[in-house]
C-alpha cells in the first residue's frame, strides 16, 4: 500500500461548491510534488465551519484506488 501526504486549505464556501456538484474533485499536490485528483466527497468527514484545513494522508492500494484519507494534523 502506498501513502501520500499533503496540505489542504479549502474555505467552507469553496467546499460547498465541490459538495454541491459544481466541482466534484479536489486537486492536491503531495509533499513529493505529485498531483492527485481526489473526490471532494472524501473530505466531507473533515469539514468544519472553517472549511477543510490541515495535513492529510491518503492511502491507496495496488490498483491506485483510495483505501482511506486521514487527517494527521
Amino acid at each position: 500500500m502506498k501513502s501520500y501526504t499533503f496540505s489542504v486549505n479549502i474555505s467552507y464556501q469553496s467546499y460547498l461548491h465541490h459538495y454541491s456538484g459544481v466541482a466534484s474533485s479536489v486537486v492536491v499536490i503531495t509533499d513529493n510534488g505529485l498531483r492527485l485528483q481526489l473526490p471532494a466527497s472524501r473530505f466531507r468527514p473533515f469539514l468544519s465551519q472553517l472549511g477543510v484545513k490541515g495535513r492529510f494522508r491518503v492511502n491507496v492500494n495496488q490498483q491506485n484506488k483510495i483505501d482511506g484519507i486521514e487527517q494527521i494534523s
Side-chain angles (χ1 to χ4, degrees):
M1 181 171 3
K2 295 184 248 178
S3 65
Y4 303 97
T5 56
F6 54 91
S7 296
V8 173
N9 186 359
I10 304 172
S11 72
Y12 184 81
Q13 205 58 25
S14 292
Y15 185 81
L16 288 181
H17 288 296
H18 287 83
Y19 182 69
S20 67
V22 174
S24 61
S25 61
V26 174
V27 176
V28 300
I29 305 297
T30 67
D31 293 346
N32 296 336
L34 183 66
R35 181 181 171 269
L36 295 179
Q37 184 172 337
L38 304 167
S41 61
R42 291 291 192 142
F43 291 96
R44 192 176 313 142
F46 310 108
L47 182 63
S48 73
Q49 295 169 338
L50 300 174
V52 180
K53 299 180 189 306
R55 300 268 307 144
F56 293 86
R57 179 183 299 120
V58 62
N59 298 309
V60 296
N61 62 23
Q62 291 179 342
Q63 292 79 34
N64 286 326
K65 300 291 183 189
I66 297 172
D67 278 340
I69 297 177
E70 59 183 320
Q71 188 166 16
I72 54 178
S73 68

